[in-house]
PDB file of all heavy atoms in Angstrom:
ATOM      1  N   SER Q  16       3.330  23.562 -10.483  1.00 98.00           N
ATOM      2  CA  SER Q  16       2.563  23.602 -11.744  1.00 98.00           C
ATOM      3  C   SER Q  16       2.904  22.431 -12.662  1.00 98.00           C
ATOM      4  O   SER Q  16       2.095  22.083 -13.530  1.00 98.00           O
ATOM      5  CB  SER Q  16       2.812  24.928 -12.477  1.00 98.00           C
ATOM      6  OG  SER Q  16       4.182  25.082 -12.763  1.00 98.00           O
ATOM      7  N   THR Q  17       4.090  21.855 -12.515  1.00 98.00           N
ATOM      8  CA  THR Q  17       4.507  20.739 -13.379  1.00 98.00           C
ATOM      9  C   THR Q  17       5.360  19.754 -12.572  1.00 98.00           C
ATOM     10  O   THR Q  17       5.700  20.003 -11.411  1.00 98.00           O
ATOM     11  CB  THR Q  17       5.377  21.227 -14.583  1.00 98.00           C
ATOM     12  OG1 THR Q  17       6.518  21.911 -14.052  1.00 98.00           O
ATOM     13  CG2 THR Q  17       4.606  22.146 -15.519  1.00 98.00           C
ATOM     14  N   ILE Q  19       7.555  17.127 -10.563  1.00 98.00           N
ATOM     15  CA  ILE Q  19       7.532  16.500  -9.230  1.00 98.00           C
ATOM     16  C   ILE Q  19       6.555  17.222  -8.301  1.00 98.00           C
ATOM     17  O   ILE Q  19       5.772  16.591  -7.590  1.00 98.00           O
ATOM     18  CB  ILE Q  19       8.956  16.517  -8.611  1.00 98.00           C
ATOM     19  CG1 ILE Q  19       9.914  15.645  -9.426  1.00 98.00           C
ATOM     20  CG2 ILE Q  19       8.922  16.071  -7.154  1.00 98.00           C
ATOM     21  CD1 ILE Q  19      11.385  15.771  -9.016  1.00 98.00           C
ATOM     22  N   ARG Q  39       4.952  30.174 -11.023  1.00 98.00           N
ATOM     23  CA  ARG Q  39       4.690  31.432 -11.742  1.00 98.00           C
ATOM     24  C   ARG Q  39       3.468  31.301 -12.636  1.00 98.00           C
ATOM     25  O   ARG Q  39       2.729  32.253 -12.837  1.00 98.00           O
ATOM     26  CB  ARG Q  39       5.908  31.799 -12.607  1.00 98.00           C
ATOM     27  CG  ARG Q  39       7.127  32.222 -11.811  1.00 98.00           C
ATOM     28  CD  ARG Q  39       8.344  32.252 -12.688  1.00 98.00           C
ATOM     29  NE  ARG Q  39       8.565  30.948 -13.320  1.00 98.00           N
ATOM     30  CZ  ARG Q  39       9.539  30.666 -14.151  1.00 98.00           C
ATOM     31  NH1 ARG Q  39      10.402  31.604 -14.501  1.00 98.00           N
ATOM     32  NH2 ARG Q  39       9.670  29.450 -14.665  1.00 98.00           N
ATOM     33  N   SER Q  40       3.272  30.113 -13.184  1.00 97.00           N
ATOM     34  CA  SER Q  40       2.218  29.930 -14.187  1.00 97.00           C
ATOM     35  C   SER Q  40       0.832  29.818 -13.558  1.00 97.00           C
ATOM     36  O   SER Q  40       0.466  28.782 -12.992  1.00 97.00           O
ATOM     37  CB  SER Q  40       2.528  28.679 -15.005  1.00 97.00           C
ATOM     38  OG  SER Q  40       1.350  28.132 -15.524  1.00 97.00           O
ATOM     39  N   VAL Q  61       9.302  32.823  -7.051  1.00 98.00           N
ATOM     40  CA  VAL Q  61      10.114  32.764  -5.813  1.00 98.00           C
ATOM     41  C   VAL Q  61      11.293  33.734  -5.825  1.00 98.00           C
ATOM     42  O   VAL Q  61      11.902  33.990  -4.781  1.00 98.00           O
ATOM     43  CB  VAL Q  61      10.616  31.316  -5.516  1.00 98.00           C
ATOM     44  CG1 VAL Q  61       9.457  30.383  -5.223  1.00 98.00           C
ATOM     45  CG2 VAL Q  61      11.507  30.793  -6.636  1.00 98.00           C
ATOM     46  N   ASN Q  87      10.319  23.315  -3.426  1.00 98.00           N
ATOM     47  CA  ASN Q  87      10.594  22.450  -4.573  1.00 98.00           C
ATOM     48  C   ASN Q  87      10.875  23.224  -5.861  1.00 98.00           C
ATOM     49  O   ASN Q  87      11.516  22.687  -6.767  1.00 98.00           O
ATOM     50  CB  ASN Q  87       9.375  21.518  -4.749  1.00 98.00           C
ATOM     51  CG  ASN Q  87       9.376  20.777  -6.064  1.00 98.00           C
ATOM     52  OD1 ASN Q  87      10.160  19.849  -6.253  1.00 98.00           O
ATOM     53  ND2 ASN Q  87       8.521  21.206  -6.998  1.00 98.00           N
ATOM     54  N   TYR Q 159      23.742  24.642 -11.549  1.00 98.00           N
ATOM     55  CA  TYR Q 159      22.692  23.831 -10.911  1.00 98.00           C
ATOM     56  C   TYR Q 159      23.241  23.111  -9.678  1.00 98.00           C
ATOM     57  O   TYR Q 159      22.661  23.176  -8.587  1.00 98.00           O
ATOM     58  CB  TYR Q 159      22.159  22.823 -11.925  1.00 98.00           C
ATOM     59  CG  TYR Q 159      21.034  21.963 -11.404  1.00 98.00           C
ATOM     60  CD1 TYR Q 159      19.758  22.478 -11.257  1.00 98.00           C
ATOM     61  CD2 TYR Q 159      21.256  20.624 -11.059  1.00 98.00           C
ATOM     62  CE1 TYR Q 159      18.719  21.682 -10.777  1.00 98.00           C
ATOM     63  CE2 TYR Q 159      20.230  19.824 -10.584  1.00 98.00           C
ATOM     64  CZ  TYR Q 159      18.955  20.359 -10.442  1.00 98.00           C
ATOM     65  OH  TYR Q 159      17.941  19.568  -9.962  1.00 98.00           O
ATOM     66  N   LYS Q 163      22.281  23.544  -5.617  1.00 98.00           N
ATOM     67  CA  LYS Q 163      21.710  22.448  -4.824  1.00 98.00           C
ATOM     68  C   LYS Q 163      22.619  22.095  -3.640  1.00 98.00           C
ATOM     69  O   LYS Q 163      22.137  21.746  -2.563  1.00 98.00           O
ATOM     70  CB  LYS Q 163      21.469  21.219  -5.709  1.00 98.00           C
ATOM     71  CG  LYS Q 163      20.412  21.452  -6.796  1.00 98.00           C
ATOM     72  CD  LYS Q 163      19.056  21.746  -6.189  1.00 98.00           C
ATOM     73  CE  LYS Q 163      17.950  21.829  -7.214  1.00 98.00           C
ATOM     74  NZ  LYS Q 163      16.633  22.090  -6.617  1.00 98.00           N
ATOM     75  N   GLY Q 190      17.148  11.399  -7.858  1.00 98.00           N
ATOM     76  CA  GLY Q 190      17.983  11.136  -9.032  1.00 98.00           C
ATOM     77  C   GLY Q 190      17.266  11.711 -10.245  1.00 98.00           C
ATOM     78  O   GLY Q 190      16.746  12.822 -10.181  1.00 98.00           O
ATOM     79  N   VAL Q 192      14.272  12.164 -12.683  1.00 98.00           N
ATOM     80  CA  VAL Q 192      12.819  12.007 -12.721  1.00 98.00           C
ATOM     81  C   VAL Q 192      12.330  12.622 -14.030  1.00 98.00           C
ATOM     82  O   VAL Q 192      12.772  13.726 -14.405  1.00 98.00           O
ATOM     83  CB  VAL Q 192      12.159  12.727 -11.524  1.00 98.00           C
ATOM     84  CG1 VAL Q 192      10.650  12.519 -11.551  1.00 98.00           C
ATOM     85  CG2 VAL Q 192      12.757  12.239 -10.204  1.00 98.00           C
ATOM     86  N   THR Q 194      10.433  14.786 -16.153  1.00 98.00           N
ATOM     87  CA  THR Q 194       9.630  16.010 -15.985  1.00 98.00           C
ATOM     88  C   THR Q 194      10.021  16.966 -17.122  1.00 98.00           C
ATOM     89  O   THR Q 194      11.015  16.707 -17.830  1.00 98.00           O
ATOM     90  CB  THR Q 194       9.950  16.708 -14.644  1.00 98.00           C
ATOM     91  OG1 THR Q 194      11.292  17.202 -14.703  1.00 98.00           O
ATOM     92  CG2 THR Q 194       9.777  15.798 -13.446  1.00 98.00           C
TER      93      THR Q 194
HETATM   94  N1  NAP W 301      13.521  15.995 -12.506  1.00 74.25           N
HETATM   95  C1  NAP W 301      14.644  15.583 -11.932  1.00 74.25           C
HETATM   96  O1  NAP W 301      15.284  14.631 -12.407  1.00 74.25           O
HETATM   97  C2  NAP W 301      15.142  16.237 -10.686  1.00 74.25           C
HETATM   98  C3  NAP W 301      16.237  15.653 -10.046  1.00 74.25           C
HETATM   99  C4  NAP W 301      16.719  16.237  -8.882  1.00 74.25           C
HETATM  100  C5  NAP W 301      16.120  17.368  -8.377  1.00 74.25           C
HETATM  101  N2  NAP W 301      15.062  17.915  -9.030  1.00 74.25           N
HETATM  102  C6  NAP W 301      14.473  19.120  -8.466  1.00 74.25           C
HETATM  103  O2  NAP W 301      13.106  18.922  -8.280  1.00 74.25           O
HETATM  104  C7  NAP W 301      12.441  20.183  -8.346  1.00 74.25           C
HETATM  105  C8  NAP W 301      11.276  20.068  -9.306  1.00 74.25           C
HETATM  106  O3  NAP W 301      11.810  19.837 -10.593  1.00 74.25           O
HETATM  107  P1  NAP W 301      11.016  19.117 -11.758  1.00 74.25           P
HETATM  108  O4  NAP W 301      11.907  18.120 -12.329  1.00 74.25           O
HETATM  109  O5  NAP W 301       9.676  18.736 -11.314  1.00 74.25           O
HETATM  110  O6  NAP W 301      10.979  20.305 -12.817  1.00 74.25           O
HETATM  111  P2  NAP W 301       9.791  21.073 -13.553  1.00 74.25           P
HETATM  112  O7  NAP W 301       8.753  20.143 -14.024  1.00 74.25           O
HETATM  113  O8  NAP W 301      10.473  21.982 -14.528  1.00 74.25           O
HETATM  114  O9  NAP W 301       9.162  21.927 -12.360  1.00 74.25           O
HETATM  115  C9  NAP W 301       9.762  23.075 -11.854  1.00 74.25           C
HETATM  116  C10 NAP W 301       8.696  23.837 -11.107  1.00 74.25           C
HETATM  117  O10 NAP W 301       9.298  25.001 -10.550  1.00 74.25           O
HETATM  118  C11 NAP W 301       8.528  26.145 -10.943  1.00 74.25           C
HETATM  119  N3  NAP W 301       9.406  27.303 -11.044  1.00 74.25           N
HETATM  120  C12 NAP W 301      10.487  27.479 -11.833  1.00 74.25           C
HETATM  121  N4  NAP W 301      10.990  28.705 -11.660  1.00 74.25           N
HETATM  122  C13 NAP W 301      10.210  29.302 -10.722  1.00 74.25           C
HETATM  123  C14 NAP W 301      10.211  30.584 -10.114  1.00 74.25           C
HETATM  124  N5  NAP W 301      11.110  31.512 -10.428  1.00 74.25           N
HETATM  125  N6  NAP W 301       9.261  30.842  -9.183  1.00 74.25           N
HETATM  126  C15 NAP W 301       8.341  29.925  -8.852  1.00 74.25           C
HETATM  127  N7  NAP W 301       8.273  28.707  -9.395  1.00 74.25           N
HETATM  128  C16 NAP W 301       9.209  28.419 -10.322  1.00 74.25           C
HETATM  129  C17 NAP W 301       7.897  25.758 -12.270  1.00 74.25           C
HETATM  130  O11 NAP W 301       6.704  26.463 -12.518  1.00 74.25           O
HETATM  131  P3  NAP W 301       6.577  27.823 -13.346  1.00 74.25           P
HETATM  132  O12 NAP W 301       7.455  27.688 -14.547  1.00 74.25           O
HETATM  133  O13 NAP W 301       5.118  27.910 -13.645  1.00 74.25           O
HETATM  134  O14 NAP W 301       7.020  28.887 -12.424  1.00 74.25           O
HETATM  135  C18 NAP W 301       7.563  24.305 -11.998  1.00 74.25           C
HETATM  136  O15 NAP W 301       6.337  24.218 -11.297  1.00 74.25           O
HETATM  137  C19 NAP W 301      13.495  21.202  -8.762  1.00 74.25           C
HETATM  138  O16 NAP W 301      13.982  21.875  -7.631  1.00 74.25           O
HETATM  139  C20 NAP W 301      14.584  20.340  -9.362  1.00 74.25           C
HETATM  140  O17 NAP W 301      15.847  20.943  -9.290  1.00 74.25           O
HETATM  141  C21 NAP W 301      14.562  17.391 -10.175  1.00 74.25           C
END
Side-chain angles (χ1 to χ4, degrees):
S16 59
T17 58
I19 295 171
R39 290 167 303 179
S40 154
V61 295
N87 167 73
Y159 182 75
K163 295 297 187 179
V192 182
T194 67

